């Protein structure tokens, strides 16, 4: 029986640390995305075209990570 278990296909294990890192990365990404949207709205309110383009470029880069 032990021999049978040795031949079983090995599946990758997600460790607690890796899982925690993934959750944290997702939370940081969501927070920054929300923050960017607020800053984009502010740049539109004050008519800061240059800042608007900087922020939307960063937002597009973040969206590509999803």
């Amino acid at each position: 029986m032990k021999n049978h278990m040795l031949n079983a296909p090995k599946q990758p294990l997600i460790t607690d640390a890796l899982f925690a890192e993934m959750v944290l990365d997702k939370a940081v990404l969501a927070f920054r995305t929300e923050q960017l949207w607020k800053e984009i709205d502010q740049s539109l309110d004050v008519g800061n075209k240059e800042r608007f383009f900087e922020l939307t470029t960063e937002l597009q880069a973040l969206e590509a990570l999803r």
Side-chain angles (χ1 to χ4, degrees):
M1 183 169 235
K2 286 183 182 180
N3 192 20
H4 175 71
M5 294 299 288
L6 291 175
N7 294 328
K10 295 181 181 179
Q11 296 181 5
L13 297 176
I14 298 180
T15 64
D16 290 343
L18 179 58
F19 181 72
E21 184 178 349
M22 291 168 58
V23 170
L24 182 59
D25 286 347
K26 187 171 182 170
V28 169
L29 181 63
F31 175 80
R32 182 61 183 145
T33 300
E34 183 178 332
Q35 190 178 39
L36 281 170
W37 277 113
K38 289 177 183 177
E39 291 182 40
I40 288 168
D41 287 344
Q42 289 173 348
S43 70
L44 288 172
D45 289 343
V46 298
N48 189 340
K49 190 176 183 178
E50 183 178 320
R51 184 70 177 143
F52 170 80
F53 285 119
E54 290 172 1
L55 295 166
T56 55
T57 299
E58 185 178 345
L59 181 62
Q60 289 173 342
L62 284 180
E63 291 295 327
L65 295 175
R66 288 182 172 211

